[in-house]
Amino acid sequence: MRSHSCYMLAYECFKATDDRKLDTESCVKIVLRNKNLGLDQYRFLLQTMVNSGLGEETYGPRNVLAGREETPTLMEAHEEMDEIMFGTLDNLFSKTGVSPPDIDILVVDVSLFSPSPSLTARIVNRYKMRDNIKSFSLSGMGCSASMVAIDLVQNLFKSYKNAFAVVVSSETIGPHWYCGKENSMMLSNCLFRSGGCSVLLTDKPCLKHKALMKLKHSVRTNIGSNDEAYGCCIQIEDQQGYNGFLLTRNLTKAAAKAFTMNLKVLVPKILPIRELIRFTVISICKTNNKTAKPSLNLKTGIQHFCIHPGGRAVIYGLGKSLGLNEYDMEPARMALHRFGNTSAGGLWYVLGYMEAKKRLKKGDKILMISLGAGFMCNNCVWEVMKDLGNGNVWEHCMDRYPIPRKNMINPFADKYSWINDERLNFVRMDLSNIILS
């Protein structure tokens, strides 16, 4: 009886058109349309944008750019999803030569938009897929949903053999743009941007030679039974009646707990025995010592770290806990800078950067790390099947990356730092008129 394998044949990330870019000026116009904001909120947004790690070329939803964030429509939500889903799928089928009727399994993960008929039904209808296709729509799982979808496909391959599967990972930003004034809910507007990815997977041994990667391990951790963890990243309505996504101070604590629990299961599967023995021996020897606790060297079993680009603090927090250097964190930092936090699709932009930079060599292992609402930590390990170097979604700007940290100065800092002038505390004025003038 052969083992069940999950091969990645291709992946296609979404790149929006230039008219959807959210540069400094566009962001300022959007902020100033919100008449609920005052000086304190402007200062908070300035600090958040300056420290966000996002650049000048991320993409926003069309309804927000057009000034309709307070009155989103169902049609606009569908149009936002159609552009991402159909755009990436068209390219995926074209590049691989796999026909839509060949697909046996379809999984779509979009957390905040669950229409009826479902998004999977919309794809089946568009591409006239078979009537016996196994389709699944995942919602509410946040930034880690793509890894849930990959794990689901891996398990489905145990029942449906010699199959093709497609995973579509994205998020609707437009209908969920926060128009209130709560700082902890405005964070999502500063970080989340439009994006997504479609991935083609198979368990067919005859296509092993065409595979980019092979899934080696997948571990899912859900600590939603803990009240603090459950509520640290949650969609709510504020006191003024505005819907938004609340990010609390407990988020860091929940992420650390879920990540640690996940690694306890994953690490024994990915590290060589000699490293596990070394760690155990040193731990025993230092049990009664007050010196720093020993740490595992994950680089003895992993060559690349694909960290979810959820924000600068997330990247550096995970990097520090794993003992990573600037080179290791570069793909996540650059993906955040160029495309922003695209939720479930974010990991694939990080992977694309690694491939475009020709980092991925045959036999290398890649650790994908994702965190999401619930609270969940879902990680997986891929093995590279051949040397990779496709420019993919990065080919248009690869010559400009990486950008040194000292050069990643956010334009907000230079142009609007005067908002922090304490003298403004004693002056009543319409700041929107001053900023726009």
Side-chain angles (χ1 to χ4, degrees):
M1 181 177 177
R2 71 178 181 88
S3 59
H4 301 285
S5 298
C6 179
Y7 299 106
M8 184 198 304
L9 295 178
Y11 64 100
E12 188 71 25
C13 292
F14 176 74
K15 178 179 174 291
T17 51
D18 287 348
D19 62 322
R20 291 180 58 184
K21 284 185 178 179
L22 268 177
D23 57 13
T24 299
E25 294 306 317
S26 299
C27 289
V28 169
K29 289 178 181 178
I30 294 169
V31 168
L32 295 179
R33 284 202 298 263
N34 187 345
K35 300 305 180 183
N36 295 307
L37 306 184
L39 181 58
D40 290 340
Q41 285 79 33
Y42 284 135
R43 286 173 172 171
F44 172 79
L45 287 170
L46 172 65
Q47 180 182 8
T48 302
M49 289 304 302
V50 168
N51 296 327
S52 68
L54 274 66
E56 290 284 278
E57 297 184 299
T58 62
Y59 302 103
R62 294 188 185 280
N63 71 303
V64 174
L65 288 165
R68 298 190 300 274
E69 60 268 26
E70 290 204 47
T71 56
T73 66
L74 180 62
M75 181 181 293
E76 287 173 334
H78 271 300
E79 289 174 348
E80 183 181 352
M81 282 293 91
D82 288 350
E83 192 171 355
I84 296 172
M85 295 190 308
F86 300 153
T88 56
L89 286 171
D90 285 349
N91 290 336
L92 193 71
F93 292 136
S94 174
K95 290 181 179 180
T96 61
V98 175
S99 175
D102 294 333
I103 303 303
D104 303 282
I105 300 168
L106 173 64
V107 184
V108 175
D109 57 89
V110 175
S111 290
L112 299 178
F113 184 47
S114 185
S116 182
S118 67
L119 293 176
T120 52
R122 199 170 179 87
I123 292 173
V124 170
N125 177 261
R126 159 75 178 241
Y127 294 100
K128 309 307 176 188
M129 292 176 166
R130 300 199 316 263
D131 57 8
N132 64 342
I133 189 171
K134 305 299 181 287
S135 61
F136 303 84
S137 296
L138 307 181
S139 64
M141 296 186 178
C143 300
S144 67
S146 193
M147 294 301 96
V148 176
I150 295 294
D151 184 69
L152 173 60
V153 168
Q154 176 189 222
N155 283 289
L156 288 171
F157 279 158
K158 297 175 183 178
S159 299
Y160 304 100
K161 300 176 177 61
N162 291 308
F164 282 116
V166 165
V167 169
V168 181
S169 300
S170 187
E171 189 56 272
T172 46
I173 307 299
H176 308 286
W177 196 268
Y178 179 60
C179 299
K181 62 178 183 179
E182 298 299 323
N183 289 355
S184 56
M185 297 176 71
M186 288 192 292
L187 283 170
S188 60
N189 291 357
C190 299
L191 293 173
F192 286 97
R193 296 293 183 263
S194 296
C197 183
S198 291
V199 186
L200 178 63
L201 305 159
T202 188
D203 66 337
K204 298 184 179 186
C206 62
L207 294 179
K208 178 181 178 180
H209 67 288
K210 290 187 176 182
L212 304 180
M213 302 175 199
K214 177 182 179 180
L215 185 63
K216 299 293 290 183
H217 308 286
S218 178
V219 176
R220 292 169 54 183
T221 303
N222 190 324
I223 60 171
S225 59
N226 180 283
D227 291 341
E228 283 188 354
Y230 174 81
C232 73
C233 183
I234 189 169
Q235 190 179 19
I236 65 168
E237 188 178 84
D238 69 11
Q239 293 181 346
Q240 291 182 292
Y242 291 106
N243 291 320
F245 219 74
L246 175 67
L247 304 176
T248 75
R249 295 182 183 275
N250 293 324
L251 178 60
T252 304
K253 180 181 176 181
K257 181 178 180 180
F259 185 51
T260 300
M261 292 173 65
N262 189 283
L263 285 186
K264 285 182 179 179
V265 178
L266 185 61
V267 161
K269 300 178 180 181
I270 63 177
L271 295 189
I273 294 178
R274 66 178 183 276
E275 174 61 17
L276 297 175
I277 293 175
R278 181 197 70 82
F279 176 77
T280 303
V281 171
I282 295 177
S283 297
I284 294 173
C285 293
K286 290 190 174 182
T287 299
N288 298 320
N289 262 338
K290 293 184 179 181
T291 54
K293 293 182 179 180
S295 59
L296 284 163
N297 182 8
L298 292 185
K299 294 183 181 180
T300 57
I302 299 293
Q303 286 73 46
H304 309 281
F305 297 85
C306 193
I307 301 173
H308 168 63
R312 194 165 71 171
V314 172
I315 296 170
Y316 282 105
L318 288 172
K320 181 179 179 180
S321 66
L322 295 174
L324 306 184
N325 56 33
E326 286 292 328
Y327 178 84
D328 300 320
M329 293 183 285
E330 179 186 305
R333 285 179 52 238
M334 298 305 114
L336 178 67
H337 183 270
R338 177 60 185 85
F339 295 99
N341 181 350
T342 55
S343 190
L347 283 171
W348 303 102
Y349 291 93
V350 181
L351 181 67
Y353 183 90
M354 294 177 179
E355 183 179 3
K357 281 294 184 181
K358 297 180 171 57
R359 290 188 177 195
L360 306 179
K361 307 299 180 183
K362 182 178 180 179
D364 285 356
K365 303 292 194 309
I366 305 168
L367 173 60
M368 278 190 167
I369 303 170
S370 68
L371 300 163
F375 192 86
M376 299 185 294
C377 177
N378 302 311
N379 301 336
C380 70
V381 176
W382 298 91
E383 179 182 355
V384 181
M385 301 298 287
K386 56 187 175 184
D387 291 358
L388 301 177
N390 183 8
N392 55 68
V393 74
W394 286 91
E395 61 184 352
H396 67 289
C397 61
M398 200 75 267
D399 58 328
R400 293 187 276 120
Y401 286 89
I403 299 175
R405 193 191 299 191
K406 63 181 180 180
N407 294 340
M408 295 179 71
I409 301 174
N410 193 293
F412 280 89
D414 181 52
K415 198 165 185 179
Y416 299 105
S417 59
W418 57 266
I419 291 177
N420 289 320
D421 191 327
E422 292 186 1
R423 288 172 293 184
L424 291 178
N425 294 334
F426 307 99
V427 180
R428 285 190 175 185
M429 60 181 70
D430 186 350
L431 286 176
S432 61
N433 292 330
I434 297 178
I435 294 174
L436 288 172
S437 61

PDB file of all heavy atoms in Angstrom, residues 370-386:
ATOM      1  N   SER A 370       1.620  30.099  10.185  1.00  0.00           N
ATOM      2  CA  SER A 370       0.443  30.957  10.076  1.00  0.00           C
ATOM      3  C   SER A 370      -0.298  31.028  11.404  1.00  0.00           C
ATOM      4  O   SER A 370      -0.389  30.052  12.142  1.00  0.00           O
ATOM      5  CB  SER A 370      -0.499  30.445   8.982  1.00  0.00           C
ATOM      6  OG  SER A 370      -1.083  29.210   9.348  1.00  0.00           O
ATOM      7  N   LEU A 371      -0.815  32.211  11.686  1.00  0.00           N
ATOM      8  CA  LEU A 371      -1.604  32.468  12.902  1.00  0.00           C
ATOM      9  C   LEU A 371      -2.919  33.103  12.487  1.00  0.00           C
ATOM     10  O   LEU A 371      -2.958  33.923  11.567  1.00  0.00           O
ATOM     11  CB  LEU A 371      -0.847  33.410  13.839  1.00  0.00           C
ATOM     12  CG  LEU A 371       0.516  32.923  14.336  1.00  0.00           C
ATOM     13  CD1 LEU A 371       1.316  34.094  14.902  1.00  0.00           C
ATOM     14  CD2 LEU A 371       0.357  31.837  15.378  1.00  0.00           C
ATOM     15  N   GLY A 372      -4.010  32.738  13.179  1.00  0.00           N
ATOM     16  CA  GLY A 372      -5.290  33.297  12.778  1.00  0.00           C
ATOM     17  C   GLY A 372      -6.338  33.261  13.871  1.00  0.00           C
ATOM     18  O   GLY A 372      -6.145  32.651  14.936  1.00  0.00           O
ATOM     19  N   ALA A 373      -7.448  33.923  13.611  1.00  0.00           N
ATOM     20  CA  ALA A 373      -8.544  34.031  14.566  1.00  0.00           C
ATOM     21  C   ALA A 373      -9.024  32.657  14.988  1.00  0.00           C
ATOM     22  O   ALA A 373      -9.023  31.706  14.231  1.00  0.00           O
ATOM     23  CB  ALA A 373      -9.686  34.834  13.957  1.00  0.00           C
ATOM     24  N   GLY A 374      -9.409  32.593  16.254  1.00  0.00           N
ATOM     25  CA  GLY A 374      -9.922  31.321  16.780  1.00  0.00           C
ATOM     26  C   GLY A 374      -9.593  31.025  18.243  1.00  0.00           C
ATOM     27  O   GLY A 374     -10.458  30.632  18.971  1.00  0.00           O
ATOM     28  N   PHE A 375      -8.385  31.020  18.738  1.00  0.00           N
ATOM     29  CA  PHE A 375      -7.185  31.430  18.037  1.00  0.00           C
ATOM     30  C   PHE A 375      -6.421  30.190  17.561  1.00  0.00           C
ATOM     31  O   PHE A 375      -6.377  29.200  18.276  1.00  0.00           O
ATOM     32  CB  PHE A 375      -6.305  32.292  18.965  1.00  0.00           C
ATOM     33  CG  PHE A 375      -5.184  32.991  18.261  1.00  0.00           C
ATOM     34  CD1 PHE A 375      -5.383  34.213  17.657  1.00  0.00           C
ATOM     35  CD2 PHE A 375      -3.931  32.422  18.176  1.00  0.00           C
ATOM     36  CE1 PHE A 375      -4.352  34.871  17.002  1.00  0.00           C
ATOM     37  CE2 PHE A 375      -2.897  33.077  17.520  1.00  0.00           C
ATOM     38  CZ  PHE A 375      -3.103  34.304  16.934  1.00  0.00           C
ATOM     39  N   MET A 376      -5.817  30.270  16.369  1.00  0.00           N
ATOM     40  CA  MET A 376      -5.177  29.100  15.798  1.00  0.00           C
ATOM     41  C   MET A 376      -3.755  29.378  15.343  1.00  0.00           C
ATOM     42  O   MET A 376      -3.412  30.494  14.973  1.00  0.00           O
ATOM     43  CB  MET A 376      -5.979  28.590  14.601  1.00  0.00           C
ATOM     44  CG  MET A 376      -7.399  28.154  14.909  1.00  0.00           C
ATOM     45  SD  MET A 376      -8.204  27.434  13.450  1.00  0.00           S
ATOM     46  CE  MET A 376      -8.294  28.861  12.382  1.00  0.00           C
ATOM     47  N   CYS A 377      -2.966  28.321  15.373  1.00  0.00           N
ATOM     48  CA  CYS A 377      -1.646  28.316  14.749  1.00  0.00           C
ATOM     49  C   CYS A 377      -1.592  27.064  13.875  1.00  0.00           C
ATOM     50  O   CYS A 377      -1.727  25.947  14.379  1.00  0.00           O
ATOM     51  CB  CYS A 377      -0.534  28.287  15.792  1.00  0.00           C
ATOM     52  SG  CYS A 377       1.135  28.183  15.067  1.00  0.00           S
ATOM     53  N   ASN A 378      -1.437  27.263  12.584  1.00  0.00           N
ATOM     54  CA  ASN A 378      -1.402  26.147  11.638  1.00  0.00           C
ATOM     55  C   ASN A 378      -0.123  26.231  10.819  1.00  0.00           C
ATOM     56  O   ASN A 378       0.077  27.208  10.081  1.00  0.00           O
ATOM     57  CB  ASN A 378      -2.629  26.190  10.716  1.00  0.00           C
ATOM     58  CG  ASN A 378      -3.931  26.152  11.501  1.00  0.00           C
ATOM     59  OD1 ASN A 378      -4.108  25.313  12.365  1.00  0.00           O
ATOM     60  ND2 ASN A 378      -4.832  27.076  11.207  1.00  0.00           N
ATOM     61  N   ASN A 379       0.733  25.245  10.986  1.00  0.00           N
ATOM     62  CA  ASN A 379       2.034  25.242  10.324  1.00  0.00           C
ATOM     63  C   ASN A 379       2.200  23.997   9.461  1.00  0.00           C
ATOM     64  O   ASN A 379       1.611  22.950   9.746  1.00  0.00           O
ATOM     65  CB  ASN A 379       3.158  25.285  11.352  1.00  0.00           C
ATOM     66  CG  ASN A 379       3.087  26.514  12.252  1.00  0.00           C
ATOM     67  OD1 ASN A 379       2.515  27.536  11.871  1.00  0.00           O
ATOM     68  ND2 ASN A 379       3.653  26.413  13.438  1.00  0.00           N
ATOM     69  N   CYS A 380       3.023  24.117   8.438  1.00  0.00           N
ATOM     70  CA  CYS A 380       3.326  22.941   7.624  1.00  0.00           C
ATOM     71  C   CYS A 380       4.747  23.037   7.085  1.00  0.00           C
ATOM     72  O   CYS A 380       5.355  24.113   7.088  1.00  0.00           O
ATOM     73  CB  CYS A 380       2.323  22.789   6.479  1.00  0.00           C
ATOM     74  SG  CYS A 380       2.465  24.023   5.181  1.00  0.00           S
ATOM     75  N   VAL A 381       5.258  21.905   6.631  1.00  0.00           N
ATOM     76  CA  VAL A 381       6.618  21.825   6.083  1.00  0.00           C
ATOM     77  C   VAL A 381       6.553  21.251   4.674  1.00  0.00           C
ATOM     78  O   VAL A 381       5.931  20.202   4.443  1.00  0.00           O
ATOM     79  CB  VAL A 381       7.532  20.940   6.956  1.00  0.00           C
ATOM     80  CG1 VAL A 381       8.908  20.789   6.309  1.00  0.00           C
ATOM     81  CG2 VAL A 381       7.669  21.537   8.359  1.00  0.00           C
ATOM     82  N   TRP A 382       7.173  21.947   3.740  1.00  0.00           N
ATOM     83  CA  TRP A 382       7.270  21.501   2.352  1.00  0.00           C
ATOM     84  C   TRP A 382       8.703  21.112   2.020  1.00  0.00           C
ATOM     85  O   TRP A 382       9.650  21.727   2.525  1.00  0.00           O
ATOM     86  CB  TRP A 382       6.843  22.604   1.391  1.00  0.00           C
ATOM     87  CG  TRP A 382       5.435  23.076   1.504  1.00  0.00           C
ATOM     88  CD1 TRP A 382       4.963  24.108   2.272  1.00  0.00           C
ATOM     89  CD2 TRP A 382       4.291  22.545   0.825  1.00  0.00           C
ATOM     90  NE1 TRP A 382       3.602  24.253   2.109  1.00  0.00           N
ATOM     91  CE2 TRP A 382       3.161  23.306   1.220  1.00  0.00           C
ATOM     92  CE3 TRP A 382       4.104  21.506  -0.097  1.00  0.00           C
ATOM     93  CZ2 TRP A 382       1.885  23.066   0.732  1.00  0.00           C
ATOM     94  CZ3 TRP A 382       2.832  21.271  -0.582  1.00  0.00           C
ATOM     95  CH2 TRP A 382       1.741  22.032  -0.173  1.00  0.00           C
ATOM     96  N   GLU A 383       8.854  20.144   1.140  1.00  0.00           N
ATOM     97  CA  GLU A 383      10.166  19.800   0.591  1.00  0.00           C
ATOM     98  C   GLU A 383      10.206  20.238  -0.868  1.00  0.00           C
ATOM     99  O   GLU A 383       9.313  19.900  -1.656  1.00  0.00           O
ATOM    100  CB  GLU A 383      10.430  18.301   0.672  1.00  0.00           C
ATOM    101  CG  GLU A 383      11.780  17.906   0.087  1.00  0.00           C
ATOM    102  CD  GLU A 383      12.037  16.411   0.112  1.00  0.00           C
ATOM    103  OE1 GLU A 383      11.197  15.671   0.675  1.00  0.00           O
ATOM    104  OE2 GLU A 383      13.065  15.974  -0.440  1.00  0.00           O
ATOM    105  N   VAL A 384      11.229  21.005  -1.229  1.00  0.00           N
ATOM    106  CA  VAL A 384      11.377  21.488  -2.600  1.00  0.00           C
ATOM    107  C   VAL A 384      11.805  20.322  -3.486  1.00  0.00           C
ATOM    108  O   VAL A 384      12.779  19.627  -3.191  1.00  0.00           O
ATOM    109  CB  VAL A 384      12.418  22.625  -2.668  1.00  0.00           C
ATOM    110  CG1 VAL A 384      12.547  23.139  -4.097  1.00  0.00           C
ATOM    111  CG2 VAL A 384      12.020  23.764  -1.732  1.00  0.00           C
ATOM    112  N   MET A 385      11.090  20.115  -4.585  1.00  0.00           N
ATOM    113  CA  MET A 385      11.330  18.963  -5.452  1.00  0.00           C
ATOM    114  C   MET A 385      12.340  19.238  -6.561  1.00  0.00           C
ATOM    115  O   MET A 385      12.882  18.309  -7.169  1.00  0.00           O
ATOM    116  CB  MET A 385      10.007  18.508  -6.076  1.00  0.00           C
ATOM    117  CG  MET A 385       8.949  18.107  -5.046  1.00  0.00           C
ATOM    118  SD  MET A 385       9.459  16.697  -4.045  1.00  0.00           S
ATOM    119  CE  MET A 385       9.288  15.373  -5.252  1.00  0.00           C
ATOM    120  N   LYS A 386      12.584  20.521  -6.871  1.00  0.00           N
ATOM    121  CA  LYS A 386      13.570  20.883  -7.888  1.00  0.00           C
ATOM    122  C   LYS A 386      13.972  22.332  -7.681  1.00  0.00           C
ATOM    123  O   LYS A 386      13.268  23.088  -7.006  1.00  0.00           O
ATOM    124  CB  LYS A 386      12.993  20.689  -9.290  1.00  0.00           C
ATOM    125  CG  LYS A 386      11.703  21.447  -9.551  1.00  0.00           C
ATOM    126  CD  LYS A 386      11.116  21.065 -10.898  1.00  0.00           C
ATOM    127  CE  LYS A 386       9.754  21.711 -11.128  1.00  0.00           C
ATOM    128  NZ  LYS A 386       9.129  21.264 -12.394  1.00  0.00           N
TER     129      LYS A 386
END
